[in-house]
């Protein structure tokens, strides 16, 4: 058979090889001169072909050797399999022959199991007979609080119960089955007294632990016994848990009621004993001062208990108990819960202060948890705050609201007392400096300062909130005070005829002094505030100073109205011919002014100077208003001289009255009294042609003077021609300057009465 038919890949490979060779040859011998190296190429290819044939033969030889070794291994394996198969057939024959012997051994095993059960029953009979007796004895030991002996008996009973259950479990396992429920129930029922003993012993132990603080001062032996029992039980729990995975993979089940975890119960009972101190506390028992007393009792009780724990109980327990730290944790948690309950009550300001002061200052002070011996324990425990930040903010807000209610009520009462004082038929009281005053500012100032001082005992934040609240209430009070002043003035005008309110002016002046005192108190409170003060009132900051200024201005206006009212009967006699001849009523006016200025001296600075200045302005304005009414028109040069001279004399009398104002250095920038000599010079000027210059000077000093005012002055002179009048008024119209900054107008408040002429000539300027 041709090779190509057996292996077609050989033919394909040969074709590919021939094609590759032709391609290579066509590339190498593309030119005739390249044929000279044909022999060289032929020799090289022949050598390479020989090398390839040699490698192929070596490789085929190694493959053939490997195949021979594999066949030899297969022959050896076949022989070994024949031997193993023969041995297995022989073992099967021997096993079938021994079946009858195994059946006879099963009977022996059953006899052995029965023997073991009978042996266990015989060995446990003494224990079983004595179980009830031991249970009764243990109960008597528990009742007499012989706890260690009772626990030893209890451990023995439990050991018997566990051994019996384990033996039954082991026999059942040997028999190839698990412990039946009937057997387990039978043992449990027989040892039911053991469970009752465990409960009774635990009850007595926890009673001892809960009264450990009292026992420690008298007889700590029961407490020590309880701790030893707790440690025994913890050791038993640990040992039984480790025995669950016994040797050989046998798992021993836990006895009934295990693990007991009595150490955790110990600390739980301790915490319950601490919390019992707070259970009987209710709102009714701690109303008002009772809450502060209750917190003080808590402080002394907790510190006494901690001293007992540190000095007595700590030595009765293992060091890893860290009993002081446990008591601190329990006390802190109970206090946290108790104070949260107290904070939810409807507390008054004094009660809230007691809680805040106790939480923020007393609790962490050296007298309590900040005690040098407790500080290391506190640092280890990291207990956190008694009341959260949100809870403290809510308490402080409740405190401020409670104080606000009290402050508002007291301010209302103080204002009512003030209004009643205004109706008294006697002068207001004076202070040590002789200034008028009433009880209002003293009450308000002391109340606000006392509230700020008390709040500062808690902290700057509460002080700022309290001051802020106080400033709001102060502003409300001053607004009501201003309304009361307005009503007081209306009442005065209604009662002019019956002579009531004889000391009306005195109480107005006392009110102004009161406002000055309140202003100083307000500024003092504002200085005590920090820059971040405000709290719940920060949306609309209070402005009591503005309210004070409004109240003072209203009171000053009422004082000036009273001065004008007292001057009013005398003002019609000014600048008349009787006045020009006799000088009346200027002395009477001076006496009225002097009386008022004397009363103004009872007002605290700077309002005293303000009232004096206002009185000066009022007098000058009324004097000039009388001049503008043209009650006196001069008939000649002599009358103009007399009028000017009398005006200068009046000015001198007024200056003597107001000389105290000048002595205090509070003279206004534009002295209104300086106007009278200027007007006197204007009237008695001899040369009418100089009036233009005189008017220009008058305009320079008093730019608010109008054409109507100058026209009246010209009419009072009585010697001004139509041409001179026109020239003066034209000059005045052209040179009307703007009012300078800070200038207080005087002529603006003086209205010129309308002219009595029926008509004006078209060629003349109207006066």
């Amino acid at each position: 058979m041709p090779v190509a038919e057996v292996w077609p890949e050989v033919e394909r490979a040969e074709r590919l090889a021939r094609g590759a060779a032709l391609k290579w040859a066509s590339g190498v011998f593309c030119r005739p001169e390249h044929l000279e190296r044909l022999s060289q190429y032929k020799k090289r290819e022949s050598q390479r072909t020989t090398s390839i044939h040699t490698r192929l033969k070596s490789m085929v030889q190694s493959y053939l050797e490997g195949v021979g070794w594999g066949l030899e291994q297969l022959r050896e394996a076949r022989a070994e399999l024949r031997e193993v198969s023969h041995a297995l057939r022989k073992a099967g024959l021997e096993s079938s022959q021994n079946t009858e012997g195994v059946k006879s051994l099963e009977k022996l095993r059953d006899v052995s199991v029965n023997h073991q059960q009978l042996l266990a029953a015989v060995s446990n009979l003494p224990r079983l007979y004595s179980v009830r007796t031991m249970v009764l004895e243990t109960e008597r030991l528990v009742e007499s609080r012989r706890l260690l002996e009772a626990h030893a008996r209890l451990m023995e009973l439990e050991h018997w119960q566990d051994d019996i259950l384990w033996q039954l479990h082991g026999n059942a396992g040997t028999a190839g089955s698990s412990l039946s429920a009937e057997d387990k129930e039978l043992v449990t029922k027989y040892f039911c007294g053991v469970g009752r003993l465990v409960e009774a012993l635990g009850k007595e132990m926890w009673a001892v632990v809960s009264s450990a603080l009292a026992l420690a001062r008298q007889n700590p032996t029961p407490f020590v016994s309880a701790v030893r029992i707790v440690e025994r039980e913890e050791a038993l729990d640990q040992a039984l848990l480790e025995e669950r995975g016994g040797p050989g993979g046998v798992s021993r089940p836990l006895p009934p009621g295990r693990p007991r975890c009595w150490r955790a119960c110990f600390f739980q009972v301790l915490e319950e004993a601490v919390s019992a101190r707070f259970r009987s506390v209710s709102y009714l028992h701690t109303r008002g001062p009772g809450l502060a007393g209750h917190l003080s009792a808590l402080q002394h009780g907790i510190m006494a208990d901690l001293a007992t724990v540190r000095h007595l109980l700590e030595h009765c327990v293992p060091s890893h108990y860290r009993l002081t730290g446990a008591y601190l944790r329990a006390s802190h948690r109970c206090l946290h819960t108790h104070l949260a309950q107290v904070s939810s009550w409807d507390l008054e300001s004094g009660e809230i202060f007691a809680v805040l002061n106790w939480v923020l200052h007393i609790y962490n002070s050296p007298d309590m948890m900040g005690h040098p011996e407790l500080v290391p324990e506190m640092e280890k425990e990291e207990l956190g705050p008694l009341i959260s930040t949100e809870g403290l903010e809510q308490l402080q807000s409740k405190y401020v609201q409670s104080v606000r209610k009290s402050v508002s009520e007291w301010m209302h009462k103080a204002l009512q007392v003030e209004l009643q004082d205004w109706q008294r038929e006697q002068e207001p009281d004076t202070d040590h400096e002789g200034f008028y005053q009433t009880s209002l500012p003293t009450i308000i100032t002391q109340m606000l300062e006392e509230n700020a001082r008390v709040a500062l005992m808690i902290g700057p934040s509460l002080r700022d909130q309290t001051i802020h609240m106080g400033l709001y209430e102060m502003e409300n009070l001053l607004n009501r005070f201003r309304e009361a002043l307005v009503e007081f003035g209306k009442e005065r005008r209604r009662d002019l005829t019956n002579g009531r309110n004889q000391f009306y002016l005195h109480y107005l002046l006392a009110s102004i002094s009161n406002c000055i005192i309140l202003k100083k108190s307000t500024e003092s409170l504002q200085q005590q505030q920090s820059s971040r003060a405000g709290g719940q009132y920060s949306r609309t900051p209070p402005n009591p100073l503005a309210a004070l200024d409004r109240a003072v201005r209203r009171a000053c206006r009422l004082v000036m109205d009273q001065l004008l009212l007292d001057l009013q009967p005398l003002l019609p006699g000014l600048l008349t011919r009787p006045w020009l001849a006799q000088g009346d009523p200027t002395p009477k006016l001076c006496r009225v002014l002097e009386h008022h200025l004397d009363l103004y001296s009872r007002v605290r600075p700077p309002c005293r100077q303000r009232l004096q200045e206002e009185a000066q302005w009022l007098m000058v304005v009324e004097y000039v208003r009388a001049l503008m009414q043209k009650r006196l028109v001069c008939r000649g040069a002599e009358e103009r001289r007399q009028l000017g001279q009398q005006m200068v004399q009046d000015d001198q009398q007024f200056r003597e009255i107001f000389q105290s104002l000048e002595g205090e250095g509070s003279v206004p920038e534009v002295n209104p009294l300086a106007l009278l000599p200027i007007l006197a010079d204007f009237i008695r000027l001899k040369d009418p042609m100089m009036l233009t210059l005189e008017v220009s000077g008058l305009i320079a000093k008093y730019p608010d003077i109008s054409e109507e005012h100058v026209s009246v002055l010209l009419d009072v002179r009585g010697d001004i021609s139509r041409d001179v009048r026109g020239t003066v008024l034209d000059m005045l119209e052209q040179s009307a300057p703007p009012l300078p900054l800070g200038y207080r107008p005087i002529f603006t408040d003086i209205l010129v009465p309308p002219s009595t002429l029926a008509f004006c000539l078209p060629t003349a300027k109207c006066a």
Side-chain angles (χ1 to χ4, degrees):
M1 183 179 293
V3 176
E5 294 180 2
V6 178
W7 290 323
E9 291 84 358
V10 175
E11 183 181 1
R12 183 172 177 270
E14 186 175 356
R15 287 199 304 270
L16 290 174
R18 288 181 180 277
L22 288 174
K23 185 178 180 181
W24 175 80
S26 62
V28 172
F29 302 107
C30 59
R31 293 183 181 181
E33 56 268 20
H34 292 165
L35 294 175
E36 297 177 356
R37 293 182 290 180
L38 178 61
S39 59
Q40 298 177 2
Y41 285 117
K42 184 177 181 181
K43 183 179 180 180
R44 187 177 66 183
E45 292 300 322
S46 176
Q47 292 175 351
R48 191 165 73 174
T49 302
T50 303
S51 175
I52 292 172
H53 286 171
T54 302
R55 290 199 300 272
L56 286 173
K57 290 178 181 179
S58 175
M59 183 177 64
V60 170
Q61 183 64 30
S62 63
Y63 284 164
L64 291 174
E65 292 176 354
V67 170
W69 180 82
L71 291 174
E72 183 65 25
Q73 293 292 324
L74 289 173
R75 283 193 292 270
E76 293 177 359
R78 185 177 63 180
E80 291 177 356
L81 285 173
R82 287 196 188 102
E83 294 176 0
V84 171
S85 177
H86 178 69
L88 286 175
R89 284 195 298 271
K90 185 178 179 179
L93 292 174
E94 292 178 355
S95 175
S96 61
Q97 294 174 1
N98 294 330
T99 303
E100 295 180 359
V102 171
K103 293 181 179 178
S104 62
L105 288 176
E106 288 181 356
K107 296 179 181 179
L108 181 61
R109 183 178 59 187
D110 294 339
V111 172
S112 175
V113 169
N114 292 331
H115 176 71
Q116 289 179 0
Q117 291 178 350
L118 291 173
L119 179 62
V122 170
S123 62
N124 287 319
L125 278 177
R127 297 180 180 178
L128 294 174
Y129 282 125
S130 61
V131 165
R132 298 186 183 278
T133 304
M134 287 190 66
V135 168
L136 293 175
E137 292 178 359
T138 308
E139 287 179 349
R140 287 195 295 269
L141 292 173
V142 170
E143 291 173 358
S144 60
R145 280 201 174 179
R146 296 163 64 181
L147 301 180
L148 286 176
E149 298 178 33
H151 186 251
R153 297 291 183 89
L154 178 61
M155 289 175 66
E156 188 174 357
L157 288 170
E158 288 181 330
H159 181 65
W160 292 352
Q161 180 183 6
D162 296 345
D163 282 347
I164 292 173
L165 286 172
W166 177 242
Q167 289 174 10
L168 292 174
H169 183 273
N171 294 333
T174 305
S177 62
S178 61
L179 180 62
S180 65
E182 292 80 4
D183 293 341
K184 188 174 182 180
E185 183 180 358
L186 178 62
V187 175
T188 304
K189 185 177 180 181
Y190 192 79
F191 284 92
C192 63
V194 176
R196 293 197 304 271
L197 285 176
V198 172
E199 295 177 0
L201 180 62
K203 184 177 180 181
E204 287 297 326
M205 284 178 52
W206 306 142
V208 168
V209 173
S210 61
S211 59
L213 293 172
L215 292 174
R217 303 183 184 97
Q218 301 171 2
N219 180 22
T221 303
F223 178 75
V224 175
S225 300
V227 173
R228 292 179 63 183
I229 293 172
V230 168
E231 287 303 298
R232 286 181 187 177
E233 290 292 329
E234 283 294 314
L236 281 173
D237 286 345
Q238 188 64 30
L240 291 172
L241 288 173
E242 293 175 356
E243 288 180 3
R244 292 192 66 181
V250 180
S251 178
R252 183 166 182 169
L254 286 173
R258 293 286 183 180
R260 293 204 175 111
C261 303
W262 274 9
R263 185 184 294 167
C265 293
F266 173 88
F267 289 105
Q268 183 178 355
V269 170
L270 181 67
E271 182 169 351
E272 290 177 356
V274 174
S275 64
R277 183 184 297 275
F278 308 98
R279 289 176 185 165
S280 60
V281 179
S282 66
Y283 180 48
L284 296 177
H285 295 123
T286 56
R287 287 296 302 267
L291 182 58
H294 167 65
L295 295 175
S296 178
L298 281 181
Q299 174 189 353
H300 295 301
I302 291 173
M303 293 308 294
D305 292 348
L306 280 172
T308 302
V309 171
R310 284 187 292 113
H311 299 305
L312 298 177
L313 293 183
E314 194 74 65
H315 304 293
C316 300
V317 298
S319 58
H320 61 82
Y321 271 47
R322 295 187 56 238
L323 197 60
T324 302
Y327 189 85
L328 281 173
R329 288 194 303 272
S331 299
H332 190 83
R333 283 195 291 267
C334 292
L335 280 174
H336 178 79
T337 304
H338 179 61
L339 290 175
Q341 178 189 10
V342 171
S343 300
S344 65
W345 295 343
D346 186 15
L347 301 178
E348 297 180 356
S349 59
E351 298 169 328
I352 299 174
F353 174 84
V355 174
L356 289 172
N357 185 56
W358 199 86
V359 170
L360 296 177
H361 300 297
I362 295 178
Y363 185 71
N364 294 313
S365 68
D367 295 332
M368 203 168 176
M369 297 305 175
H371 193 279
E373 296 182 7
L374 295 177
V375 168
E377 291 292 339
M378 292 290 290
E379 292 176 351
K380 292 178 185 177
E381 297 301 329
E382 297 181 357
L383 301 176
L386 269 182
I387 299 180
S388 64
T389 304
E390 294 78 7
L392 285 176
E393 291 178 355
Q394 291 176 2
L395 268 181
Q396 291 184 0
S397 178
K398 287 175 63 176
Y399 176 82
V400 173
Q401 290 298 330
S402 179
V403 173
R404 175 182 175 275
K405 181 179 178 181
S406 175
V407 168
S408 179
E409 292 176 356
W410 275 101
M411 285 187 174
H412 178 73
K413 292 178 182 178
L415 183 58
Q416 294 303 316
V417 172
E418 177 75 5
L419 299 183
Q420 293 175 5
D421 288 345
W422 289 354
Q423 306 300 327
R424 293 193 306 175
E425 296 297 329
Q426 62 182 34
E427 276 191 287
D429 299 331
T430 57
D431 59 10
H432 64 283
E433 297 178 294
F435 299 127
Y436 283 143
Q437 69 172 15
T438 61
S439 59
L440 178 67
T442 303
I443 295 173
I444 301 302
T445 300
Q446 290 180 354
M447 179 171 50
L448 295 181
E449 291 180 352
E450 179 66 15
N451 284 326
R453 185 187 64 80
V454 171
L456 183 60
M457 295 172 64
I458 301 300
S461 175
L462 185 61
R463 185 268 316 272
D464 293 341
Q465 294 183 45
T466 304
I467 291 177
H468 216 70
M469 174 275 301
L471 294 179
Y472 264 102
E473 294 303 318
M474 173 81 82
E475 183 178 7
N476 294 334
L477 170 72
L478 291 171
N479 290 333
R480 296 196 301 269
F481 184 75
R482 178 175 173 274
E483 295 172 0
L485 285 173
V486 173
E487 187 61 31
F488 191 39
K490 294 179 180 179
E491 183 181 351
R492 169 63 175 175
R493 288 191 291 273
R494 289 194 299 267
D495 296 339
L496 283 176
T497 56
N498 55 22
R500 291 180 58 189
N501 292 332
Q502 298 181 8
F503 296 95
Y504 166 77
L505 179 60
H506 303 72
Y507 281 102
L508 284 179
L509 299 176
S511 299
I512 297 174
S513 291
N514 291 344
C515 289
I516 297 172
I517 297 174
L518 291 176
K519 180 180 180 182
K520 293 180 180 178
S521 174
T522 301
E523 292 173 345
S524 174
L525 291 173
Q526 289 177 334
Q527 291 173 1
Q528 295 178 39
Q529 283 185 292
S530 62
S531 58
R532 296 178 296 175
Q536 59 184 318
Y537 301 99
S538 57
R539 296 180 180 176
T540 54
N543 193 3
L545 294 180
L548 271 168
D549 184 62
R550 291 193 296 269
V552 169
R553 283 191 281 110
R554 173 54 59 184
C556 290
R557 183 67 265 166
L558 292 175
V559 170
M560 290 300 104
D561 291 344
Q562 183 61 33
L563 173 60
L564 181 59
L565 187 63
D566 293 343
L567 294 175
Q568 200 67 47
L570 304 175
L571 292 176
L574 274 177
L575 296 166
T576 59
R577 293 198 177 276
W579 165 82
L580 185 63
Q582 302 174 4
D584 286 336
T586 301
K588 297 179 181 178
L589 290 172
C590 291
R591 284 194 293 272
V592 173
L593 284 173
E594 189 173 5
H595 171 68
H596 276 258
L597 292 176
D598 182 62
L599 291 178
Y600 299 165
S601 64
R602 301 294 188 93
V603 179
R604 289 180 174 274
C607 286
R608 176 175 58 193
Q609 291 82 358
R610 178 177 179 177
L611 290 173
Q612 292 170 344
E613 293 173 7
E614 291 299 323
Q616 194 174 11
W617 278 91
L618 175 65
M619 189 65 250
V620 172
V621 166
E622 294 302 322
Y623 196 95
V624 176
R625 180 177 286 114
L627 181 63
M628 292 295 112
Q629 292 177 359
K630 297 190 292 185
R631 300 170 184 168
L632 176 63
V633 176
C634 297
R635 300 172 180 172
E638 181 60 23
E639 283 192 359
R640 286 193 294 275
R641 183 188 66 78
Q642 292 179 1
L643 175 59
Q645 184 178 358
Q646 188 62 41
M647 290 177 65
V648 171
Q649 291 178 2
D650 289 352
D651 174 65
Q652 291 296 328
Q653 295 183 53
F654 293 149
R655 286 181 183 274
E656 291 176 0
I657 296 297
F658 292 107
Q659 65 180 356
S660 59
L661 176 63
E662 298 178 0
E664 294 176 2
S666 300
V667 181
E669 296 181 1
V670 179
N671 189 354
L673 287 176
L675 176 61
L676 300 185
I678 294 175
L679 295 178
D681 293 340
F682 182 89
I683 291 174
R684 63 187 179 183
L685 185 65
K686 295 181 179 180
D687 187 1
M689 303 305 296
M690 298 294 293
L691 286 176
T692 304
L693 183 61
E694 192 72 19
V695 170
S696 63
L698 186 62
I699 295 173
K701 292 182 179 180
Y702 302 96
D704 62 319
I705 193 170
S706 64
E707 294 183 14
E708 290 77 5
H709 296 122
V710 174
S711 179
V712 170
L713 292 176
L714 295 176
D715 291 340
V716 170
R717 283 182 58 90
D719 64 337
I720 304 303
S721 63
R722 211 176 272 176
D723 295 338
V724 173
R725 179 187 296 271
T727 302
V728 170
L729 296 180
D730 288 341
M731 184 273 297
L732 179 64
E733 184 178 1
Q734 295 173 3
S735 63
L739 298 180
L741 185 65
Y743 172 78
R744 180 176 179 180
I746 188 171
F747 284 95
T748 305
D749 297 332
I750 303 173
L751 297 178
V752 177
S755 175
T756 57
L757 296 176
F759 62 93
C760 295
L761 296 175
T763 58
K765 194 172 183 67
C766 292

